[in-house]
Amino acid sequence: MSAAGVLDCGRDARAHRRGPTISTRIERETMPTPDTAPRIDPASPPDRLLMGPGPSDVHPRVLRAMSAPLIGHLDPAFLRLMNEVQEMLRYTFRTENRWTIPVSGTGSAAMEAAVANLVEPDDVVLVPANGYFGDRMANMAARAGGDVVRVEAPWGRPLDPDDVRAAFERHRPRVFGFVHAETSTGVLQPELPALTALAREHDALVIADTVTSLGGVELRVDAWDIDAAYSGDQKCLSCPPGASPLTLNDRAMEKAGGRATPVRSWYLDVSLLRSYWGEERSYHHTAPITNIYGLHEALRLVCEEGIEARWARHRRVAGALKAGLEAAGLSWLPDDACWLPSLNAVRVPEGVDAKAAIRWLLAERGIEISGGFGPLAGRIFRIGCMGESCRASNVLALIAALAEALGTQGVRIDADAGLAAARAALESEGAAGA
Amino acid sequence: MSAAGVLDCGRDARAHRRGPTISTRIERETMPTPDTAPRIDPASPPDRLLMGPGPSDVHPRVLRAMSAPLIGHLDPAFLRLMNEVQEMLRYTFRTENRWTIPVSGTGSAAMEAAVANLVEPDDVVLVPANGYFGDRMANMAARAGGDVVRVEAPWGRPLDPDDVRAAFERHRPRVFGFVHAETSTGVLQPELPALTALAREHDALVIADTVTSLGGVELRVDAWDIDAAYSGDQKCLSCPPGASPLTLNDRAMEKAGGRATPVRSWYLDVSLLRSYWGEERSYHHTAPITNIYGLHEALRLVCEEGIEARWARHRRVAGALKAGLEAAGLSWLPDDACWLPSLNAVRVPEGVDAKAAIRWLLAERGIEISGGFGPLAGRIFRIGCMGESCRASNVLALIAALAEALGTQGVRIDADAGLAAARAALESEGAAGA
């Protein structure tokens, strides 16, 4: 073998396998490649417009940031990036909480991190019954050993603070979890400060699910006195899923640090994570480096736009969607007082097969929206208006395409009135402050 | 506002903020952007050669695959990709196990998934004491409610099957976890079939940590009768971390499915995950879409190379590293019989400050290697030779740079003898089968 041949290992060896050389021929004889390897074509994901409940479209700058070669998760250059991500997450959550980090998993991992760390065995945990994610919180709290009680409200309605007060008085929960933006119903929980004040009165910790609000809908963790909030990165932050925001205030960290029993998940134990994200920088687990690159750039976009301007954009653009589809003849499941701009729960008109319409939109127009599930299966369309997907052009395209999809089932809505109303709403300066 | 102005929302609005227009001026008045947004520069990760314990270098094709725009996690096109990833993972694990999936997190999440699903409260769990990852397994098993017992062996030595037999007879464990490739010590556990046979005799389930072996070191899940194995994707698979391989055979799934108590983690509960990865495709959590794109391409590279050829490459290239550094005067912590090609534990020569040498290599030569921890702190260098990083050119560069790093501390090793020995090893056809 020539000296050059010495270097024909690894990456280069594969390229040479098509035109055999001495070195590859020898290798085949001594260690034959089995013929059983699957032959799979390269992934060719289709071009989609993502207007479902997440993921949302990703800005090209974020994709480009994620194509950078890796550095080690303990490299000083990576530690700097982590600090910057934390700083920008604090800005986005509107908090000064030191323990503001991306959890190494998708939104449900951040949710479980919040619940598993703050719920100790036999803690009474109050959760809402008005949507799927309240149920999931209940499930996680039970697995953490908590004693789960519920505050009732129908799917499609927010919690009533009076009901929450009654539940506090009856059950005396240690932890109160609620959903700021319920992705399953398109309901925004208003009056958050009233809810957190109840928790304070009763010396309970508050966990807020902000998966579908962070970065798109007004959220003020510190001003609203929220102890713990978690989110996903593939919703209003428009980042590929995999690094999920979590913030804990001192009160929450004190409870997590003073537990009598260890957190039931090693991976999500914040007392271990803090030694990685804190001053010590000691190894806990390998961070999802590429996802952190992406989140860094996605958060830079948030900072450039400004968080309040971003909330206003979501209200304005999703407001145009709402004005448009209402003018076309459709209606929203929740009342206007709890309308969630980032996730629009639109009632399915009589006689429409929602699943078929959703499939048609994806297959024929490349637009992803979603349907309802649980008690809302077949009854609502869930139309996301999140982050990069929240753009006027998308709203206009969606109104036209949805009218077309319903039309294939013989159901007519007034697409032209819808487009006109959407355009008017986008033009109206008043809408910016609506 | 002009009709064109209607479309100036979302992405476009930001570009316009530098040159104010009527619409942005109005927006500023009604909803001023706070001046508190952090100003963070774009991430500019330095160029590194990753030869530590992971992550390893990523092939450009994998990075390119990850730059594709997102599709939804329930999109039929994504479900096809998932099937392909599962098929290629089975090939790489050398298994027919149906429940072979990427867990949505880094390697420790897959580890916790294996442990948390297979350990029920009060199960006796036998784990090894000869490295850090055995300790972590113990920690996770205890959090799952298990009663942890240990089989002893010093750090740097593999388990002795006789000791394992004695531990089985003494403790009667229900679950036996061991580490195939111990990243903290560079020890390969040989004689795996002897260990799994012991577990069969005693009707226990076997969990194998294959984080640093999968895709780089011979591993045959089915032939060796391993019930559950987990791994990371950023080691010998050379994929950015975030989607971590896990395989469970029917015996393991039967135990997971027949538990008396729920798994303590909702996120990692395989009985829930199976409804997403199985026929039903029902929503559990949002998969890390971009990481799956990357893993798909990384596994295609494995399939193109052929798994046995890949094992041979790791032995040949890491063997040249070993021959080279030994000729230069250094020595390995483990005996040759349990040498782990993917992670080389090299003894730190007398008088060398290991941390300073590691810092010098990173800062001055852009090469990442790592040190020991726990009882091995300051005593070993851990040099990875994994996946795309496992290339002849890297081995030669590392030998030269390490000699230089030690030289800055006044310790001389014979770099020229090392390079000559490495070159000779790379040229020797016998090395391919060594």
Side-chain angles (χ1 to χ4, degrees), chain A residues 164-188:
Chain A
V164 175
R165 176 182 299 279
F168 261 104
E169 283 163 6
R170 180 160 169 213
H171 301 295
R172 305 270 154 198
R174 308 297 310 131
V175 178
F176 170 39
F178 62 83
V179 180
H180 182 218
E182 184 42 89
T183 320
S184 64
T185 61
V187 167
L188 181 74

Side-chain angles (χ1 to χ4, degrees), chain B residues 283-341:
Chain B
Y283 168 63
H284 176 254
H285 69 271
T286 304
I289 297 155
T290 299
N291 301 79
I292 299 292
Y293 288 169
L295 185 55
H296 186 274
E297 191 64 19
L299 290 170
R300 277 183 13 91
L301 289 164
V302 172
C303 291
E304 284 175 25
E305 184 173 11
I307 188 69
E308 302 215 357
R310 197 171 171 99
W311 297 338
R313 170 165 62 87
H314 280 75
R315 280 198 306 277
R316 187 177 63 247
V317 175
L321 173 73
K322 187 159 183 287
L325 287 181
E326 285 179 344
L330 299 179
S331 65
W332 258 239
L333 175 73
D335 294 343
D336 285 357
C338 57
W339 166 57
L340 176 59

Side-chain angles (χ1 to χ4, degrees), chain A residues 8-21 24, chain B residues 59 304:
Chain A
D8 287 346
C9 301
R11 189 172 304 187
D12 304 328
R14 279 192 298 279
H16 285 208
R17 288 171 78 220
R18 285 175 198 174
T21 63
T24 55
Chain B
H59 195 289
E304 284 175 25

Side-chain angles (χ1 to χ4, degrees), chain A residues 219-234:
Chain A
L219 168 67
R220 301 179 186 276
V221 164
D222 285 0
W224 294 351
D225 206 14
I226 294 167
D227 298 303
Y230 58 84
S231 193
D233 60 346
Q234 81 281 12

Side-chain angles (χ1 to χ4, degrees), chain A residues 308-333:
Chain A
E308 303 214 356
R310 196 171 172 98
W311 298 337
R313 169 166 63 88
H314 281 75
R315 280 198 306 277
R316 188 177 64 246
V317 175
L321 172 73
K322 186 159 182 288
L325 288 181
E326 285 178 344
L330 298 179
S331 66
W332 258 240
L333 175 73

Side-chain angles (χ1 to χ4, degrees), chain B residues 219-403:
Chain B
L219 168 67
R220 301 179 185 276
V221 165
D222 286 359
W224 296 350
D225 206 14
I226 295 166
D227 298 303
Y230 58 83
S231 193
D233 59 347
Q234 81 281 12
K235 308 259 182 179
C236 299
L237 299 180
S238 280
C239 186
S244 301
L246 173 69
T247 187
L248 301 168
N249 67 12
D250 288 343
R251 209 183 282 124
M253 284 304 284
E254 204 176 297
K255 173 152 190 190
R259 294 173 59 101
T261 56
V263 177
R264 289 182 168 186
S265 167
W266 180 93
Y267 189 60
L268 300 174
D269 183 340
V270 293
S271 67
L272 302 176
L273 291 173
R274 71 191 294 173
S275 61
Y276 177 61
W277 285 94
E279 305 280 304
E280 305 158 57
R281 300 302 190 188
S282 67
Y283 168 63
H284 176 254
H285 69 271
T286 304
I289 297 155
T290 299
N291 301 79
I292 299 292
Y293 288 169
L295 185 55
H296 186 274
E297 191 64 19
L299 290 170
R300 277 183 13 91
L301 289 164
V302 172
C303 291
E304 284 175 25
E305 184 173 11
I307 188 69
E308 302 215 357
R310 197 171 171 99
W311 297 338
R313 170 165 62 87
H314 280 75
R315 280 198 306 277
R316 187 177 63 247
V317 175
L321 173 73
K322 187 159 183 287
L325 287 181
E326 285 179 344
L330 299 179
S331 65
W332 258 239
L333 175 73
D335 294 343
D336 285 357
C338 57
W339 166 57
L340 176 59
S342 49
L343 197 286
N344 294 273
V346 178
R347 290 180 196 275
V348 175
E350 199 78 25
V352 167
D353 176 342
K355 276 195 175 170
I358 291 164
R359 267 199 309 271
W360 187 92
L361 279 171
L362 189 72
E364 302 301 327
R365 294 295 173 266
I367 299 177
E368 176 171 283
I369 69 167
S370 184
F373 53 101
L376 297 175
R379 291 179 48 208
I380 56 170
F381 294 119
R382 291 187 300 146
I383 304 174
C385 212
M386 301 176 180
E388 294 303 320
S389 292
C390 176
R391 298 166 65 191
S393 53
N394 293 346
V395 162
L396 299 176
L398 180 72
I399 292 170
L402 183 60

Side-chain angles (χ1 to χ4, degrees), chain A residues 7-307:
Chain A
L7 297 174
D8 287 346
C9 301
R11 189 172 304 187
D12 304 328
R14 279 192 298 279
H16 285 208
R17 288 171 78 220
R18 285 175 198 174
T21 63
I22 290 170
S23 66
T24 55
R25 241 183 285 129
I26 285 168
E27 188 175 313
R28 277 196 192 142
E29 278 160 30
T30 55
M31 180 61 68
T33 300
D35 287 343
T36 54
R39 308 190 72 153
I40 305 283
D41 287 335
S44 303
D47 189 24
R48 302 293 196 210
L49 170 57
L50 298 175
M51 299 202 72
S56 57
D57 285 340
V58 175
H59 195 289
R61 269 172 50 188
V62 174
L63 296 175
R64 191 177 59 185
M66 293 179 78
S67 71
L70 297 196
I71 57 177
H73 57 108
L74 296 170
D75 192 307
F78 189 69
L79 301 180
R80 268 197 305 279
L81 275 188
M82 285 163 50
N83 286 340
E84 292 172 354
V85 164
Q86 289 188 279
E87 187 183 349
M88 292 189 283
L89 278 179
R90 285 186 197 105
Y91 169 71
T92 307
F93 269 124
R94 312 275 61 213
T95 184
E96 302 292 326
N97 288 341
R98 184 172 176 207
W99 299 108
T100 304
I101 62 170
V103 172
S104 301
T106 57
S108 305
M111 181 178 194
E112 188 147 21
V115 174
N117 280 280
L118 298 187
V119 173
E120 285 203 85
D122 302 324
D123 274 354
V124 175
V125 184
L126 180 64
V127 300
N130 63 336
Y132 173 77
F133 290 93
D135 286 352
R136 181 181 292 186
M137 207 183 253
N139 190 313
M140 288 177 176
R143 287 171 194 250
D147 177 8
V148 175
V149 294
R150 281 184 174 79
V151 49
E152 298 293 332
W155 281 45
R157 295 280 311 146
L159 299 182
D160 183 324
D162 288 340
D163 295 338
V164 175
R165 176 182 299 279
F168 261 104
E169 283 163 6
R170 180 160 169 213
H171 301 295
R172 305 270 154 198
R174 308 297 310 131
V175 178
F176 170 39
F178 62 83
V179 180
H180 182 218
E182 184 42 89
T183 320
S184 64
T185 61
V187 167
L188 181 74
Q189 178 66 45
E191 305 179 76
L192 256 54
L195 300 186
T196 59
L198 281 168
R200 276 302 82 74
E201 260 176 55
H202 291 83
D203 200 25
L205 286 176
V206 162
I207 301 176
D209 180 318
T210 66
V211 169
T212 297
S213 56
L214 180 69
V217 177
E218 184 178 10
L219 168 67
R220 301 179 186 276
V221 164
D222 285 0
W224 294 351
D225 206 14
I226 294 167
D227 298 303
Y230 58 84
S231 193
D233 60 346
Q234 81 281 12
K235 309 259 180 180
C236 300
L237 299 180
S238 279
C239 185
S244 301
L246 173 70
T247 186
L248 302 169
N249 67 11
D250 289 344
R251 208 184 283 122
M253 284 304 283
E254 204 176 295
K255 172 151 190 191
R259 294 173 60 101
T261 56
V263 177
R264 290 183 167 184
S265 167
W266 180 92
Y267 190 62
L268 301 173
D269 183 341
V270 293
S271 68
L272 301 175
L273 291 172
R274 70 192 293 174
S275 62
Y276 177 63
W277 285 95
E279 306 279 305
E280 304 157 57
R281 297 304 189 186
S282 66
Y283 167 63
H284 176 255
H285 69 270
T286 304
I289 297 155
T290 299
N291 302 79
I292 299 292
Y293 287 170
L295 185 56
H296 186 273
E297 192 64 21
L299 290 169
R300 277 181 15 88
L301 288 164
V302 172
C303 291
E304 284 175 24
E305 184 173 12
I307 187 69

